[in-house]
Amino acid sequence: MFQAFLIKYAEIAIKGKNRPLFEDALVKQIRRALKAVDGSFHVYKTQGRVHIDTEGEFDYNGTLAALKKVYGISSIHPVMVLEDEGFDELKKRVIAYLAELYPDGEHSFKVNARRARKNYPLESMEINAAMGEAVLEAFPAFHVDVKSPEIMLRIEVREKIYVYSVDIPGAGGMPIGTGGKAMLLLSGGIDSPVAGAMMAKRGVSLNAVYFHAPPYTSERARQKVEDLAAIVSGYSGELWLHVVNFTEIQKYIYEKCPHDELTIIMRRYMMRIAERIALEQDCLALVTGESVGQVASQTMQSLMATNEVCEQLPVFRPLIAFDKQEIVQRAYAIGTYETSILPYEDCCTIWVAKHPVTKPSVKVIRRHEEYLKDGIDEMVERAVNGRDVVKIG
Ligand code: ATP
Ligand code: MG
């Protein structure tokens, strides 16, 4: 019964000069999201809104599912589009529309008409009154409530007539492309995909880096990360995944440094490499899935030690104060949870010490990294230059 969608966005974030930028980014992201949906869509903006017109048959549920992933949308309104065939015909169609959407029950309603085409014979107020009367007659259990109606029946008379009353919440946030680009450190776990989606929600587009350690980590573990990246790209738009071979560096650290500091030192090298690639790719920040106290490498002291190596870029940790349960809920909501819990090995867990340091001293760690000085720079060079880059989404 619907042939179009009206898209509303929260206006608060988009005052003044930023408004066209915001709207154009939103239109672009809606077009991107609809590419994968069956149907022919025409997306365009008018004052303060975005419209989607459809042509012919289209996948209604698929359209809604795609739109719900587009950040920047505050609400989605499916619209019935009618040719102007006179007011009597309009009444019939509106009543059929209400009968289908609200088949039973007592509902309060209000008609809110807007006559944008001035040669229509009835003025807005006249449409409200006449349509309200027709609805009351057809649905004796309905009543009018002008203050807070359950059903706000909107009728917009333009060249055609647009009727809508359904209000589906959008994802909120800002459209991708309005917030610069960040490099997500993406592991196969639960946390980092959630962190990436949260940054994307603020309009930040993503690149991602994954450290793997073949043959200690399998192709399937890498595939899992690519699958997670693909799910995240449903929100963030296409992204480049940089797959860095970390085996040589990991082994070298294992050989030269105290084993209880292995995780911290490894994480410092991950951050250094991620920052290098990020700067090369014009990213403005790093993003991780860290959360205080979750594991030994995420105590305040450990976070300080890993943070210290990032010289130019800020590190964003959107999950820093979240409980695991909250993160799991978000992972469910964005659709990454089932993939994240597949049991493939992670490069960090392979040589992990039984009792890793939980309160590393930056000074001590720095001193122990000195043991690596003969080989590490070349290894980092090799890891950065030899990385695989995969386009996702
Ligand atoms: P996650 O669920 O994201 O894997 P985690 O609880 O396993 O998190 P850690 O393994 O300590 O936590 O990693 C903390 C963060 O470091 C991750 O959220 C991710 O951003 C980054 N990270 C860890 N391992 C890797 C990896 N192999 N490749 C890329 N980033 C990684
Ligand atoms: Mg992990």
Side-chain angles (χ1 to χ4, degrees), residues 224-265:
K224 175 183 168 183
V225 172
E226 289 191 21
D227 293 346
L228 287 170
I231 301 172
V232 172
S233 78
Y235 300 89
S236 69
E238 76 174 29
L239 58 87
W240 298 93
L241 174 66
H242 301 258
V243 181
V244 175
N245 187 326
F246 208 49
T247 314
E248 187 181 36
I249 293 171
Q250 232 171 350
K251 274 183 155 170
Y252 192 53
I253 299 171
Y254 189 74
E255 202 180 294
K256 300 280 185 189
C257 299
H259 289 179
D260 61 346
E261 289 167 7
L262 180 73
T263 309
I264 290 292
I265 295 176

Side-chain angles (χ1 to χ4, degrees), residues 285-296:
L286 299 180
V287 179
T288 77
E290 290 160 310
S291 157
V292 173
Q294 204 183 77
V295 285

Side-chain angles (χ1 to χ4, degrees), residues 1-224:
M1 78 190 301
F2 299 112
Q3 297 81 27
F5 296 86
L6 180 66
I7 302 297
K8 294 187 183 168
Y9 45 81
E11 310 237 350
I12 192 117
I14 44 159
K15 296 209 182 90
K17 271 193 301 196
N18 289 330
R19 188 171 173 138
L21 276 177
F22 179 102
E23 290 172 337
D24 291 344
L26 186 58
V27 165
K28 188 172 163 198
Q29 291 306 314
I30 291 173
R31 286 186 182 140
R32 176 184 65 76
L34 292 178
K35 259 193 204 144
V37 180
D38 277 342
S40 151
F41 302 97
H42 175 48
V43 186
Y44 57 98
K45 60 176 183 177
T46 59
Q47 284 268 306
R49 295 149 166 215
V50 173
H51 299 267
I52 305 169
D53 291 345
T54 66
E55 220 184 282
E57 294 285 306
F58 72 102
D59 173 3
Y60 175 76
N61 291 326
T63 305
L64 273 189
L67 292 174
K68 280 185 187 170
K69 287 187 177 178
V70 177
Y71 291 130
I73 293 180
S74 68
S75 60
I76 305 161
H77 307 268
V79 181
M80 176 169 77
V81 184
L82 302 172
E83 297 294 336
D84 179 10
E85 292 168 327
F87 192 68
D88 281 342
E89 182 62 22
L90 178 62
K91 278 198 289 198
K92 273 190 216 149
R93 298 293 298 268
V94 167
I95 283 160
Y97 166 99
L98 291 172
E100 188 168 338
L101 281 188
Y102 312 97
D104 40 42
E106 300 171 4
H107 297 289
S108 62
F109 78 101
K110 172 184 178 178
V111 182
N112 187 338
R114 202 166 69 95
R115 187 182 66 157
R117 171 159 61 82
K118 297 301 171 200
N119 68 359
Y120 195 74
L122 276 74
E123 286 181 20
S124 304
M125 295 303 279
E126 292 171 326
I127 300 174
N128 288 343
M131 190 60 79
E133 214 170 282
V135 171
L136 282 173
E137 205 171 291
F139 302 91
F142 281 23
H143 65 278
V144 174
D145 180 346
V146 290
K147 283 221 180 89
S148 58
E150 284 164 58
I151 303 169
M152 175 68 92
L153 179 67
R154 295 183 191 266
I155 299 174
E156 276 187 31
V157 180
R158 287 186 264 149
E159 210 39 57
K160 293 182 181 177
I161 301 176
Y162 297 77
V163 177
Y164 63 98
S165 64
V166 178
D167 183 340
I168 298 163
M174 306 280 285
I176 297 294
T178 56
K181 185 164 65 178
M183 178 65 79
L184 170 67
L185 283 88
L186 182 62
S187 66
I190 296 169
D191 307 327
S192 43
V194 175
M198 284 177 74
M199 291 310 299
K201 186 169 178 178
R202 297 309 302 159
V204 176
S205 61
L206 298 175
N207 272 7
V209 57
Y210 166 58
F211 297 90
H212 75 151
Y216 305 98
T217 58
S218 63
E219 267 309 299
R220 286 201 304 179
R222 172 185 166 154
Q223 185 57 49
K224 175 183 168 183

